[in-house]
Amino acid sequence: MESQESMITQEMIQEYRRRGYTTEELLPKTADKRHMDKNNFFTLWMGNLHNIPNYASAGGFLVLGIAPFNIMLALVLGAILAGFMLAMNGKASAKYGIPFSMQLRATYGDKGAKLPGALRGIVVAIAWFALQTFTGSQALLILVAQLWPGVMDIGGGASFLGLSIPSLIMFILFWLVNLFIGLSGGEFLNKFNKILTILIYVLFIGMGIWGYVVGGGITPIMSYAVSTASEAPNTLLSYALIINAVLAFWAAPTVSVGDFAQNATSDEAQSKGQILGLVVGYLVFAFTSMFIFIGSAIHYGVAQWDVLDVINSWDSLPAAVFASLILLLITVNSNAVANIIPAAYQLIAIFPQKINYRSGVMIASVLAVIIMPWKLMENPDSIYTFLNAIGAILGPVTGVMLYQYFIIDKEEIDLDALYFQAGQPSIYSGINVKAYIATLVGLIVSLSGMFIPSLALLTELSWFSGFIVAGLVYAALSLNKNNK
């Protein structure tokens, strides 16, 4: 049986180039350019999930008063579902070798693809870039303070826009590092990913063991309850909230997973690799996050829900320096690949005549400062609110993309029509109005709780509500055979 990736020939590529698709990133991948096997996909996300915002969200669940065991189990269940969503949305690109931007075109039309592309590549990517740049700068501050305690006295306690002078200095320095990597394309850090993943697991498994020991073992940790927590949500709602947060955390990679899946040696490689990678990664994360936070709270007598605060409490300078350095590498790596580069590409797609890659990176980086990301981390539940917003924006897009490919297209895309020549008629030209309507309805419903208190649950479960509502609306609108 002929493999799916062999469907793409050099003759097809040359024809698409003749039609005006000269940018290599837009063209489908031929078999000789697909090198990501199951092991590559297995390790793709395993390192990135162990980042500062993800640990902050786990600490936020403890603040809500949810029992540690329920948090751990819900995190793993969320990982299974998130891995499944990644695999399902990666199937089209794994089969046809097309990137995310062309997969969007197959759903929304060539003009219609710009809005969902902007939501993922600009709004979400810049917000994540800003947040991770700030959290990374805090890790840098801890690292510098461990080596030079006097840095904390700079500015004499003064602040600027709500940020202390030492924090501001580190934010600017770390922002410049990320800007440099973004301009270079982040190729070195991509190659370094496998080594970095090993270091990440050495760090966090080691921290988990430390938390287990200083916390007194499994019994006191698993029976821990936050004394200041308000009344905890019921068990079923707790699970739904946590699973929704996991899905929202992975909402951006899920939407644009085609940029990775197009390089898969087979659909099986990307499907099994991503699902297993997320499940194994979250099994480790579930234990390490609870052991680190609860063990630290028991040991120091003070609840700290930010992994940076835990590291800053350590007496061992080498351990604190090593941990801070790894957190910095995690942040720079994921920022370059998942945030700043997609943001630049989408700015180019929207303003192709006015913006090139370098100016796109610069614009995205400046916007990341303007939104003042440190405000997102002021409270333990801030990251939870942020994740809800991400879920509300991208859950509907995922629902529409999956319905289009699996139900309407029945897993078949006409590549010749997809790569149509400008000015020629095509089923993929213009705007798929029904997909647009469904996406906007899903977005409105998932955000409705922000304005109507009685609908607050829809926003608390933003990814679920947006995904389901958008899919159902699209299904209803598509009963008419004229789909676009």
Side-chain angles (χ1 to χ4, degrees), residues 3 21 167 187 196 245 251 290 299 319 359 367 371 418-419 435 463:
S3 62
Y21 299 90
S167 292
E187 294 181 4
L196 179 59
M290 294 300 100
H299 179 63
S359 61
L367 290 174
I371 65 176
L418 186 65
Y419 287 88
W463 190 94

Side-chain angles (χ1 to χ4, degrees), residues 372-423:
M372 294 191 293
W374 48 90
K375 296 293 184 181
L376 295 173
M377 298 293 287
E378 286 182 334
N379 302 306
D381 59 347
S382 295
I383 186 64
Y384 177 69
T385 303
F386 176 73
L387 288 175
N388 270 343
I390 299 300
I393 293 171
L394 296 181
V397 177
T398 305
V400 169
M401 291 177 72
L402 291 180
Y403 190 88
Q404 177 70 39
Y405 184 65
F406 288 98
I407 307 301
I408 295 178
D409 293 339
K410 301 187 187 306
E411 300 185 54
E412 296 291 336
I413 294 176
D414 186 341
L415 285 186
D416 189 62
L418 186 65
Y419 287 88
F420 64 88
Q421 188 167 350

Side-chain angles (χ1 to χ4, degrees), residues 87 172 222 229 285 321 340 342 424 426 463 476:
I172 293 172
M222 297 307 290
F285 175 77
V321 169
I340 192 64
Q424 298 297 316
S426 171
W463 190 94

